[in-house]
């Protein structure tokens, strides 16, 4: 098939912009359901009549992965320790709320999720518009079977061996609050399987 590459950024009004600014995200990081709100015909056409797939994971595992990604990509001096993991996530997620509404375009809660190139948007918003949903544990096999891709060397598999078991109670509570829709959605999904 044809290879598509989305260029540009989506700002907090969900409009396509050519240049990145503080309150914008790469297209690939914005849930497709939000792009449908865009006045731009091209954003709607990109997903129309196409089969979409999403990968999902436990919000706790995802938070640890985000720490490892940030550590490897932006803050190479950040220690790989339980205390650093927990303080990093508490500082990143402390101002987030599960009660934000993406339809309120000039809402400070929405703008917060636009930070860090939208890495912290709840998975719930992506999963609503995906035809195929694959748990991360099954990603390697699925990609190999469907696209003959071998991703056995994942970017966040480095020397830092922290896991969700290293999260303290305060961080777990914060993640549970911010990602309560994810947790509820994934619990319902597992019950129905």
């Amino acid at each position: 098939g044809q290879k598509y590459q989305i260029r540009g950024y989506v700002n907090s009004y969900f409009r396509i912009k050519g240049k990145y600014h503080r309150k914008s995200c790469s297209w690939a990081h914005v849930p497709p359901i939000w792009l449908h709100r865009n006045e731009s015909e091209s954003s709607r056409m990109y997903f129309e009549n196409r089969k979409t797939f999403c990968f999902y994971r436990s919000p706790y595992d995802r938070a640890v992965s985000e720490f490892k990604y940030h550590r490897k990509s932006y803050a190479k001096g950040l220690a790989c320790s339980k205390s650093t993991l927990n303080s990093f996530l508490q500082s990143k997620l402390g101002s987030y709320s599960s009660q934000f509404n993406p339809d309120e375009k000039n809402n400070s809660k929405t703008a917060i999720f636009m930070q860090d190139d939208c890495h912290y948007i709840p998975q719930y918003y992506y999963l609503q518009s995906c035809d195929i949903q694959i748990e991360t544990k099954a990603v390697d096999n699925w990609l190999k079977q469907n696209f003959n891709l071998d991703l056995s060397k994942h970017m966040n598999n480095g020397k830092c061996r922290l896991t969700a078991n290293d999260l303290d109670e305060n961080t777990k509570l914060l993640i549970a609050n911010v990602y309560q829709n994810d947790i509820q959605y994934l619990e319902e999904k597992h019950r129905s399987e």
Side-chain angles (χ1 to χ4, degrees):
Q2 225 176 346
K3 184 177 181 180
Y4 292 91
Q5 185 174 8
I6 303 177
R7 297 189 186 274
Y9 298 89
V10 179
N11 70 12
S12 56
Y13 292 96
F14 307 110
R15 291 195 177 94
I16 309 309
K17 300 289 179 190
K19 291 186 176 181
Y20 179 81
H21 65 85
R22 195 169 57 81
K23 293 182 181 173
S24 66
C25 298
S26 307
W27 274 62
H29 294 180
V30 178
I33 197 167
W34 291 2
L35 292 175
H36 291 294
R37 296 180 172 97
N38 194 311
E39 293 86 27
S40 166
E41 189 62 32
S42 63
S43 69
R44 284 190 293 277
M45 286 174 39
Y46 184 80
F47 292 101
E48 249 175 49
N49 300 318
R50 288 184 172 77
K51 203 149 203 64
T52 59
F53 60 90
C54 293
F55 305 135
Y56 67 90
R57 71 174 96 192
S58 151
Y60 304 99
D61 293 334
R62 181 181 177 212
V64 174
S65 178
E66 188 59 40
F67 167 77
K68 290 178 181 180
Y69 172 78
H70 190 89
R71 185 178 168 274
K72 188 170 184 173
S73 302
Y74 303 108
K76 296 184 191 302
L78 205 58
C80 176
S81 69
K82 291 179 185 183
S83 61
T84 306
L85 166 70
N86 287 289
S87 62
F88 173 86
L89 291 174
Q90 288 174 23
S91 71
K92 282 291 183 184
L93 298 175
S95 55
Y96 285 56
S97 168
S98 63
Q99 303 306 314
F100 92 103
N101 181 350
D103 291 320
E104 296 174 20
K105 293 180 182 175
N106 213 6
N107 180 327
S108 63
K109 291 176 183 168
T110 302
I112 289 169
F113 274 101
M114 303 296 281
Q115 294 177 44
D116 292 329
D117 202 15
C118 289
H119 277 221
Y120 296 96
I121 291 176
Q123 298 170 97
Y124 170 79
Y125 292 103
Y126 297 92
L127 295 171
Q128 289 180 51
S129 51
C130 285
D131 300 311
I132 302 168
Q133 299 173 3
I134 304 112
E135 194 164 9
T136 53
K137 295 172 194 171
V139 168
D140 286 344
N141 288 337
W142 188 83
L143 288 172
K144 195 166 197 123
Q145 288 173 350
N146 290 281
F147 299 99
N148 200 27
L149 292 174
D150 183 9
L151 298 180
S152 54
K153 273 209 159 232
H154 185 273
M155 183 173 178
N156 291 344
N157 283 344
K159 294 179 182 175
C160 186
R161 300 287 180 216
L162 295 170
T163 68
N165 292 331
D166 297 310
L167 298 170
D168 66 28
E169 288 308 310
N170 289 333
T171 305
K172 288 178 186 175
L173 286 170
L174 184 58
I175 292 168
N177 178 47
V178 172
Y179 296 108
Q180 67 182 348
N181 288 334
D182 284 4
I183 292 166
Q184 182 180 0
Y185 184 88
L186 296 175
E187 283 174 354
E188 289 172 12
K189 183 170 182 50
H190 286 126
R191 271 196 300 271
S192 68
E193 290 177 347

